[in-house]
Amino acid sequence: MPYQTTVGHLTYRFADLKTLLAKASPARSGDYLAGLAAATYEERMAAKIALADVPLSTFLNEVLIPYEADEVTRLIIDRHDQVAFAPISHLTVGDLRDWLLLDATDSLTLAAVAPGITPEMAAAVSKLMRNQDLILVAKKCQVISRFRNTLGLPGHLAVRLQPNHPTDDVRGIAASLLDGLLYGSGDATVGINPASDSLPTLMRLWQMLDEVRQHFEIPMQSCVLTHVTTQIQAIEAGAPIDLVFQSIAGSEKTNSSFGVSLSILKEAHEAALSLKRGTVGDNCMYFETGQGSALSAGGHLGVDQQTCEARAYAVAREFKPLLVNSVVGFIGPEYLYDGKQIIRAGLEDHFCAKLLGLPMGCDVCYTNHAEADQDDMDTLLTLLGAAGINFIMGIPGADDIMLNYQSTSFHDALYLRSVLGLKRAPEFDAWLTRMAITEPNGRLREIGRGHHLLQQLPHLSGAA
């Protein structure tokens, strides 16, 4: 159905809900590239005014991508919880914004309604919100997940230790792993992006990570970020896999371009659960997303990139993950042009995912050809910390030498924890104290050459 509003002497008409959402989005290069963005600031504001008056129930009746043609749409509609939706079913998008900002709308209330909120509702209300609104509401959304430690507790921040190496050299990876552990990073996961998809190479990485974990009795989980079908094959071959990883998107067409489907993800989830490797919980999936991926794959189908991103969270929500991560600035300036756009996108992604009940983290990052720098990343990092993000990345020097992009370092995590008074996962924190890496108050100790990790890790067979 068409939507319209009048601003001054001009009446703006929007052909359908998909168009209205696109025109109401904050300006970003990807939507301009797709030909979906508002032509002027006035048109964008007119779209926001019209969007504010749309009843939430409309999103259940007017789908953006046809139900018959897209399994993500079918998932969203078929899994919608009418009971959870009932308390907010009478609201418009503008009303939802006001309700979310009320002091009375607390963490328990938000958790109760989360199954009744669709990704399109979350995306729509985010388009009406200032940055501070996104931060305030996301802070109230508390999502806890567990595998070998507990993530997402209020007042806590975890770090994915990312010890990548351009040739998958095990000693090089072990050196980065050691570096990160000594800085107190790794409670979210130790996750390697491999350069190779060779199964023998991948098996060595899984085995090395598991040997280190067992030898030092670290309450952590590990992950090798290769294709999900390779991980299924590795599980069948006996690999010691903790978390199963996959990049996902918000349309069936885009996921197909990644070589995945809901049925494949279900198979992987069941395979990971069958290993029963978790000790405090069984959240065993790790998903990564990012605005622009659907457009990059030609699978956006006329939907703006932020709404496409929110739809990916429906896929993640289906499999009860331990971690979900928006790799916010990784795709490049064609989709998020500069620091302002990257900051806004990071806050949107975190807000929408948390509102939908996901344990959300962010790779606060940019590519070297974007109009952004580390000061922009410091700003986004601090804002996300204030918003209660579950985890961030920890990369030696913030410079990934394999993927060739700029992210956040072990020192950045120390900064954020210090400024905001955030703690590590409790089980991991206790291990750091036992290993004399940190003081009981969480501060790092000075590490001498005789420390256990420095003495033993280089000589473990898997790290040799």
Side-chain angles (χ1 to χ4, degrees):
M1 61 174 285
Y3 301 85
Q4 68 179 45
T5 191
T6 300
V7 179
H9 300 292
L10 291 177
T11 297
Y12 289 88
R13 293 182 175 84
F14 307 97
D16 50 28
L17 187 58
K18 179 164 58 176
T19 302
L20 180 63
L21 287 166
K23 300 296 186 184
S25 281
R28 64 204 56 199
S29 51
D31 288 339
Y32 286 115
L33 180 65
L36 303 175
T40 65
Y41 285 105
E42 186 174 280
E43 183 185 22
R44 183 172 297 112
M45 185 54 65
K48 290 178 185 289
I49 293 169
L51 181 60
D53 290 333
V54 174
L56 294 181
S57 58
T58 301
F59 293 92
L60 302 175
N61 301 313
E62 185 179 346
V63 298
L64 307 187
I65 303 174
Y67 181 94
E68 299 78 12
D70 185 85
E71 68 175 3
V72 178
T73 298
R74 293 195 292 275
L75 178 70
I76 291 168
I77 298 300
D78 294 348
R79 290 288 191 269
H80 183 252
D81 188 328
Q82 290 285 354
V83 174
F85 181 58
I88 58 171
S89 61
H90 61 290
L91 301 180
T92 65
V93 176
D95 293 334
L96 178 60
R97 173 188 177 273
D98 294 341
W99 180 81
L100 290 170
L101 292 169
L102 291 174
D103 288 340
T105 306
D106 58 13
S107 299
L108 291 176
T109 304
L110 290 168
V113 302
I117 299 175
T118 69
E120 292 86 353
M121 294 176 195
V125 74
S126 77
K127 297 175 193 297
L128 305 184
M129 301 177 89
R130 295 169 56 184
N131 285 0
Q132 67 172 249
D133 299 338
L134 299 174
I135 294 168
L136 177 62
V137 177
K139 177 73 170 182
K140 295 193 288 185
C141 297
Q142 296 172 6
V143 184
I144 297 171
S145 58
R146 296 176 173 90
F147 191 76
R148 287 202 189 90
N149 55 36
T150 306
L151 305 176
L153 293 168
H156 289 67
L157 171 75
V159 177
R160 172 190 158 189
L161 202 172
Q162 185 169 305
N164 294 344
H165 193 280
T167 64
D168 292 332
D169 180 77
V170 176
R171 286 184 63 84
I173 290 170
S176 294
L177 170 59
L178 174 61
D179 190 21
L181 290 173
L182 292 175
Y183 277 108
S185 292
D187 45 352
T189 187
V190 176
I192 302 169
N193 298 90
S196 170
D197 60 1
S198 162
L199 190 57
T201 297
L202 299 172
M203 292 293 277
R204 283 196 296 273
L205 298 181
W206 277 306
Q207 289 160 359
M208 182 271 285
L209 290 172
D210 199 52
E211 182 180 359
V212 171
R213 178 189 66 81
Q214 291 193 63
H215 182 83
F216 293 106
E217 299 180 324
I218 311 174
M220 71 175 202
Q221 42 278 330
S222 65
C223 185
V224 177
L225 285 69
T226 189
H227 195 270
V228 66
T229 54
T230 303
Q231 292 167 89
I232 293 172
Q233 183 182 359
I235 288 173
E236 293 170 348
I241 292 178
D242 292 340
L243 305 184
V244 169
F245 163 82
Q246 182 55 47
S247 293
I248 56 173
S251 73
E252 180 178 346
K253 185 175 181 181
T254 307
N255 285 325
S256 295
S257 77
F258 294 167
V260 298
S261 64
L262 294 178
S263 62
I264 290 173
L265 294 175
K266 181 180 179 182
E267 180 185 356
H269 185 218
E270 291 174 349
L273 286 172
S274 73
L275 299 179
K276 295 182 170 61
R277 291 176 61 82
T279 55
V280 298
D282 62 358
N283 301 119
C284 56
M285 301 296 284
Y286 176 19
F287 295 114
E288 287 192 345
T289 66
Q291 288 194 30
S293 60
L295 176 58
S296 177
H300 65 296
L301 305 173
V303 179
D304 70 89
Q305 69 180 39
Q306 190 257 329
T307 303
C308 279
E309 170 73 4
R311 282 170 55 92
Y313 304 152
V315 178
R317 183 163 64 172
E318 177 71 2
F319 300 101
K320 300 176 177 59
L322 181 78
L323 309 166
V324 183
N325 179 35
S326 169
V327 193
V328 65
F330 181 73
I331 303 181
E334 299 87 351
Y335 307 96
L336 295 169
Y337 178 72
D338 56 15
K340 181 180 177 65
Q341 292 187 13
I342 292 171
I343 290 168
R344 174 69 189 191
L347 294 176
E348 289 170 347
D349 295 351
H350 179 246
F351 162 84
C352 287
K354 283 290 189 64
L355 192 61
L356 293 168
L358 286 173
M360 195 66 176
C362 185
D363 190 343
V364 179
C365 64
Y366 66 103
T367 58
N368 287 315
H369 62 308
E371 289 295 322
D373 58 26
Q374 210 65 39
D375 285 339
D376 294 315
M377 299 306 103
D378 286 350
T379 299
L380 178 55
L381 176 68
T382 306
L383 294 176
L384 287 171
I389 195 147
N390 282 34
F391 70 99
I392 60 169
M393 300 295 109
I395 298 170
D399 184 4
D400 193 296
I401 59 174
M402 197 282 282
L403 294 174
N404 195 30
Y405 76 114
Q406 309 304 310
S407 184
T408 48
S409 70
F410 308 134
H411 296 82
D412 292 328
L414 295 177
Y415 147 75
L416 198 59
R417 284 173 173 148
S418 176
V419 168
L420 299 179
L422 302 173
K423 300 177 181 179
R424 302 171 183 87
E427 301 89 345
F428 190 79
D429 220 6
W431 176 81
L432 290 172
T433 302
R434 288 199 307 272
M435 291 293 291
I437 295 173
T438 60
E439 303 285 355
N441 62 9
R443 291 187 178 180
L444 291 177
R445 290 175 178 263
E446 290 189 15
I447 302 298
R449 292 183 179 181
H451 193 275
H452 317 291
L453 284 172
L454 288 170
Q455 290 293 311
Q456 297 178 48
L457 181 56
H459 301 292
L460 291 178
S461 61

